[in-house]
Amino acid sequence: MKAKERHMLKDYVSRIQDADLVLVGIGPELSAYELIDFKTEIQNEHYQKLLRMDEEDKDVIWMRQAYERHYLLNHSQVSYFKKLYHINVNGFFNEHFILKENTDTERCNSFVWFGSTGVIHKGLDILVEAFAKLPSKRLNIYGISKQEIAMIKPCIGRNTFLHEKINVMDNTFISEVVEKNAFIVSLSCSEGMQSGVATCMLHGLIPIVTKETGYESQNFIFEFSDYHLDSVVNTILHTSSLSIAEINRLSRLVYDYAHKNFSLISFSNRFECIIKDLMKNNNE
């Protein structure tokens, strides 16, 4: 573990040492692997005491990938937490949007990257290089900071377009992002759950993501198997080769699934259930 990473871990641990409830996966938090490896590695009594994540100590709400939760269960690491809850991220939904069937073949070849800062972390450099090899496809990029454009500009082909940040609640989000793209892509190497993906799914865009983006496997969620350029290109080619009828079918499944799992209402209901359970357990 590098010195910088160790410093981040120590700072993270010091911030949660007095907490009864810990939310993991919102913002640049640390993964299950890092926390567990850190606990195993540190022998100094001061930091063992500082961690205070021994058995029956913390309640944790986990906004993390399914495979990390499986890692915890399979390696008997749940004993580090008093109780482990899972909650999905929420996206934002424009109430003016109505899901319609797509009849535009050009849209079936259009992909959107809807993110923020950290473009290398989110794999955008690999994506723009992949699309440079796919001249018949289109990549629309939203949310990238001006400071980071220079990082990917040398790789950008003629079929990749940079756009300004956009307000999801504006009608231009519907007309420019939703109605001109069929897929939302993310090649991120680590997320709690990527809210930009959830937002696009709420509007029927079909996700093509890495497992590290934080979403449970579903038959309408496509996964990049790895970060190799040829593999990314092949995955994009496969999804864009689907018929319009199949894309419409998957879009409806994505829309329904997202509204059940990633709406503000579903987040609020789940969070309320967790808090009620915590209060009940603490009162017993």
Side-chain angles (χ1 to χ4, degrees):
M1 185 179 291
K2 297 178 182 179
K4 183 179 179 181
E5 292 171 339
R6 291 175 65 84
H7 176 76
M8 288 175 59
L9 284 162
K10 290 176 183 178
D11 177 65
Y12 175 71
V13 169
S14 67
R15 285 187 285 118
I16 68 171
Q17 63 173 321
D18 294 322
D20 294 315
L21 175 64
V22 180
L23 274 71
V24 180
I26 304 175
E29 301 292 10
L30 303 162
S31 72
Y33 308 107
E34 292 167 319
L35 281 173
I36 291 164
D37 290 346
F38 184 59
K39 181 177 175 66
T40 304
E41 180 181 337
I42 295 295
Q43 299 300 322
N44 184 295
E45 184 178 348
H46 171 70
Y47 285 109
Q48 286 287 352
K49 183 178 180 181
L50 185 63
L51 275 165
R52 287 186 56 200
M53 292 187 70
D54 294 323
E55 188 172 358
E56 299 299 312
D57 186 46
K58 303 287 185 188
D59 290 304
V60 176
I61 300 177
W62 195 258
M63 191 181 288
R64 277 283 177 184
Q65 302 94 314
Y67 79 97
E68 280 196 357
R69 298 200 306 277
H70 295 159
Y71 177 89
L72 289 171
L73 294 170
N74 294 337
H75 292 79
S76 301
Q77 301 296 352
V78 289
S79 63
Y80 285 142
F81 313 115
K82 184 178 179 182
K83 191 164 185 179
L84 189 65
Y85 299 90
H86 174 249
I87 190 169
N88 288 320
V89 72
N90 71 273
F92 293 96
F93 181 66
N94 188 319
E95 296 290 345
H96 297 289
F97 174 72
I98 300 173
L99 185 66
K100 302 174 184 177
E101 285 205 351
N102 173 31
T103 58
D104 184 2
T105 54
E106 184 177 344
R107 183 181 173 190
C108 297
N109 289 302
S110 296
F111 302 71
V112 63
W113 184 90
F114 200 71
S116 56
T117 57
V119 296
I120 304 301
H121 178 89
K122 290 179 167 64
L124 185 56
D125 56 327
I126 302 173
L127 280 173
V128 296
E129 197 171 343
F131 275 88
K133 293 178 174 290
L134 299 167
S136 64
K137 314 304 174 188
R138 178 186 178 103
L139 176 63
N140 292 300
I141 299 172
Y142 286 87
I144 183 174
S145 67
K146 292 180 179 179
Q147 293 83 354
E148 290 187 302
I149 290 176
M151 296 182 184
I152 63 168
K153 202 165 187 178
C155 303
I156 291 180
R158 293 182 177 181
N159 58 335
T160 294
F161 302 89
L162 296 170
H163 303 271
E164 297 289 332
K165 291 183 179 180
I166 193 167
N167 188 336
V168 174
M169 302 307 171
D170 286 346
N171 287 334
T172 49
F173 172 77
I174 297 173
S175 62
E176 296 300 315
V177 177
V178 180
E179 294 181 348
K180 290 186 177 180
N181 298 279
F183 303 95
I184 167 70
V185 290
S186 175
L187 201 65
S188 183
C189 66
S190 179
E191 301 286 337
M193 289 184 77
Q194 197 167 340
S195 59
V197 172
T199 293
C200 290
M201 289 177 69
L202 283 166
H203 297 83
L205 296 190
I206 302 165
I208 313 171
V209 296
T210 55
K211 65 180 181 180
E212 289 83 1
T213 304
Y215 289 83
E216 303 274 2
S217 295
Q218 303 289 338
N219 58 11
F220 45 80
I221 296 179
F222 295 95
E223 283 190 2
F224 292 109
S225 58
D226 57 53
Y227 300 91
H228 293 101
L229 186 60
D230 288 343
S231 177
V232 173
V233 168
N234 288 334
T235 301
I236 293 167
L237 283 172
H238 168 68
T239 53
S240 62
S241 69
L242 299 171
S243 67
I244 290 183
E246 179 63 5
I247 287 175
N248 283 325
R249 185 185 75 85
L250 292 173
S251 177
R252 167 57 68 177
L253 290 173
V254 167
Y255 178 89
D256 291 341
Y257 176 82
H259 279 267
K260 182 178 179 180
N261 291 279
F262 307 134
S263 68
L264 281 169
I265 292 174
S266 64
F267 181 91
S268 299
N269 289 341
R270 175 60 180 156
F271 197 84
E272 183 179 358
C273 288
I274 292 171
I275 298 303
K276 285 181 177 178
D277 189 64
L278 286 169
M279 294 175 66
K280 177 183 175 183
N281 291 338
N282 288 334
N283 290 332
E284 289 178 352

